[in-house]
Amino acid sequence: MSDFSTPAGWYPDGNGWERRWDGSGWTEERRRMAEPTQVRPATPAPQGPPPAALPTQGPPSGPPPQAAPPQAAPPPVAAPPNYGHVPSGGSFNGSYGNPFSGYQHSAPPKKSKLWLWITLAVVLLLGVGTGVTLAVLKPWDESSSSSKGKDPDGDPDKGAGERAIQGDITGDDKGDALYYLYYDYDNVKKVTATSNGNGFETNEVAVDPYTEPDELYFDWDGDGVNEKLAWKFVSSGKQITLSSNDSDFPGEQTYTASLSSLKEYGDIEVRVVNGDFDGDGDQDLALAGPNDKVVDVSVLVNDGKGNFAAPVLWVSIPNAVIDVTRITPGDFDKDGDTDLWTELPAERLDDEAYAKYYSGDRGYALLTSSGNNFELGAVNKSSIYQEAFLVGDVVGDGTANIVGIETNSYDEELTVSVYDVSSGQLKVVAGFTGKSKIGQRTLQGATLSDVDGDGDADVVFAVKAYKETKFTGIQVMTSTGAVFEEALVWADTPPCDKDTCRIEFPSSRRY
C-alpha cells in the first residue's frame, strides 16, 4: 500500500474559522477567515470516496492509492482559497486525530449580538450628544460667549465678558500703582506708576489732596477696561456726586443719601467702594454712612453703561460708628456677587462713642450679598494684627481674598499672608505667603495690582526707616497664584528734605 497525505495548510473549521493541518495532523493554530481579495468559484467537493479527490503530492511512483473504508472517510477538503494571514483567534477545544479516522470538535460559542447593539447605541448617543453640545455652544457662532465677549452696542474693540485687570489705570492690560508722596504738608505730589511688565515709569503732578475728589478705577461700562470714576460727598447737603473724564461716561450724577450723625463735631463721613453687588455682571457702588446709632450701607445699581440709580438701603449695621467702619468689597463666598468684609467696633457702644470717638477694640464681620440686600454675619474680634489689610484676586480665579502685610524690625523682613474670610473669620490660607528683606524699616503703604497682567494681583509697597529721608523705592512682590516672590524694586523714589515725608496709597486700609 502506498502512502499519501493531505497537503499542509489552512482548512475551514466552521463558524468562520480555519485550522492548520501540518501534513500529518491538526494543530492548535486557528484563525479567523478573512474576506478574499478576489472571489474565486468554489471547487465542488467530489461525491466519491474522499481520498480519490484529495490532491496527491507524494512520490509519483507506486500503485494507485486504495480507497479507504467508508467509515474512515475524512470530510471533503477543497483547495484553500488565497487568504491573507490572520492571527489565531483562540485555542481549539475538542478532540481531533488522523483525518482518515475522522475528527470531531466543538465549535466556538456563538457570540451574542448584544454588544453590537450596545456599541451602536453608544455611537448614536455620542453623535446626538455632540450635536446637542454643538447646537448649544455653537463654537462657530461669533455671538457665543468668549473670554472677551462682545460689546452690546456693537463696538468690536469692547469685550463685555472680559474681566478688567486689577489696578490697570492706563488700559494696557497691566496693573499700575497710584500713590501720594508727601514731601511735607504743603508739598504733595500725586504719582502715577505705569507698569511695563517688569518696572514702573513714574509721572508726578502737584496736588492738594485735601480738596481732590476721591477716585475709583474700575470697569463701569463693561468694556473690559478700567475707567476713572471720581466721587465727592458734600456733607451739608448729604449729596454724593459722580463724574469722570472718560468720554463714554453718561454725565455727572448727583444723589442725596438719607444720613444723620450724633457727633458733636465734624462733618458726616462716608465710604464708597465698587463691586458687582447684585450679581448681574455690572459694577455697582456701595455707600456706607452714619445714621444716628447705625451705619447704613446702600447700593447704587449700575445699568452697565455708567448710569447709577439712586442709593437703596441694603443693610443697617447696629452698634457701629463710621469712624472705624471700613467696607472692603470682594466675592469672598465665591458665589458670583460681591460681598463686603467690614471692620466694626467689637464692644457694645455707649452714648459717648456715638457722640465723640470710639477707640476700643475692633472686630470683623462679613456682609454677604444675596443680590438685593446684605446679610450681616457675626462680629468676630480677631487676634490677627497687620499693618495693612488689602483685598484682591491673588489666586487668579475671579474671587477675592484678604491680604495682610506686616513688618518685623528684628527679622528685618516684610511678610505677606493670605486669608480666607468666607466663614466670616480670618483664616490663614496655608502656604500662601511671601517674605522680603527690608532692613529695619516699616511699612509706609501698600496696594494690590496685577502689574504683570497674568490674572493674579501682586503686592506693591513702600518702606522707610525712622529718620531716613529716602524711601527704598516702590517694590513689588509678584504672585504666582500660590506664593509671593521676593520683592524687587520697580521704581526709584526721590529723596525728601525731611525725614517726616511719607507715601500713601489711596487703596490701603490701615487698621
Side-chain angles (χ1 to χ4, degrees), residues 4 157 262:
F4 66 93
D157 296 328
L262 298 177

Side-chain angles (χ1 to χ4, degrees), residues 429-459:
V429 177
F432 203 153
T433 184
K435 294 180 183 291
S436 291
K437 288 293 184 181
I438 59 171
Q440 292 186 339
R441 298 179 173 87
T442 57
L443 184 69
Q444 287 286 303
T447 189
L448 287 180
S449 180
D450 184 6
V451 297
D452 50 12
D454 64 352
D456 42 48
D458 313 298
V459 174

Side-chain angles (χ1 to χ4, degrees), residues 106-119:
S106 300
K110 292 185 178 180
K111 292 187 177 180
S112 170
K113 295 185 179 180
L114 177 61
W115 68 274
L116 291 174
W117 291 107
I118 294 175
T119 303

Side-chain angles (χ1 to χ4, degrees), residues 352-435:
E352 185 176 358
Y354 291 111
K356 296 181 180 178
Y357 184 78
Y358 174 76
S359 59
D361 292 332
R362 304 179 186 189
Y364 306 95
L366 183 61
L367 298 183
T368 305
S369 172
S370 65
N372 54 23
N373 61 61
F374 290 119
E375 298 176 4
L376 175 62
V379 179
N380 298 289
K381 183 178 177 180
S382 176
S383 60
I384 298 175
Y385 298 97
Q386 304 277 262
E387 293 176 66
F389 278 118
L390 310 173
V391 63
D393 178 10
V394 294
V395 179
D397 61 355
T399 61
N401 290 92
I402 297 292
V403 177
I405 301 176
E406 63 177 340
T407 57
N408 186 311
S409 59
Y410 179 80
D411 294 329
E412 299 185 354
E413 285 182 334
L414 178 145
T415 301
V416 179
S417 303
V418 179
Y419 300 93
D420 182 344
V421 297
S422 59
S423 66
Q425 300 184 26
L426 287 166
K427 292 187 177 180
V428 175
V429 177
F432 203 153
T433 184
K435 294 180 183 291

Side-chain angles (χ1 to χ4, degrees), residues 422-509:
S422 59
S423 66
Q425 300 184 26
L426 287 166
K427 292 187 177 180
V428 175
V429 177
F432 203 153
T433 184
K435 294 180 183 291
S436 291
K437 288 293 184 181
I438 59 171
Q440 292 186 339
R441 298 179 173 87
T442 57
L443 184 69
Q444 287 286 303
T447 189
L448 287 180
S449 180
D450 184 6
V451 297
D452 50 12
D454 64 352
D456 42 48
D458 313 298
V459 174
V460 182
F461 69 92
V463 293
K464 187 173 79 69
Y466 180 64
K467 293 298 184 182
E468 274 189 330
T469 58
K470 188 179 187 303
F471 299 90
T472 56
I474 303 299
Q475 301 186 55
V476 172
M477 295 176 69
T478 56
S479 170
T480 67
V483 295
F484 289 98
E485 305 284 0
E486 191 169 356
L488 295 174
V489 175
W490 275 45
D492 292 328
T493 46
C496 302
D497 295 333
K498 302 177 182 178
D499 59 17
T500 56
C501 63
R502 60 190 175 90
I503 283 179
E504 179 181 312
F505 290 85
S507 60
S508 181
R509 295 288 185 246

Side-chain angles (χ1 to χ4, degrees), residues 176-193:
D176 310 301
L178 185 67
Y179 59 91
Y180 291 93
L181 178 54
Y182 290 78
Y183 290 98
D184 56 42
Y185 185 84
D186 296 322
N187 183 10
V188 182
K189 300 293 177 65
K190 181 178 172 180
V191 183
T192 302

Side-chain angles (χ1 to χ4, degrees), residues 222-233:
D223 63 355
V225 178
N226 291 327
E227 296 91 10
K228 181 173 77 171
L229 180 73
W231 65 271
K232 192 164 187 176
F233 180 71

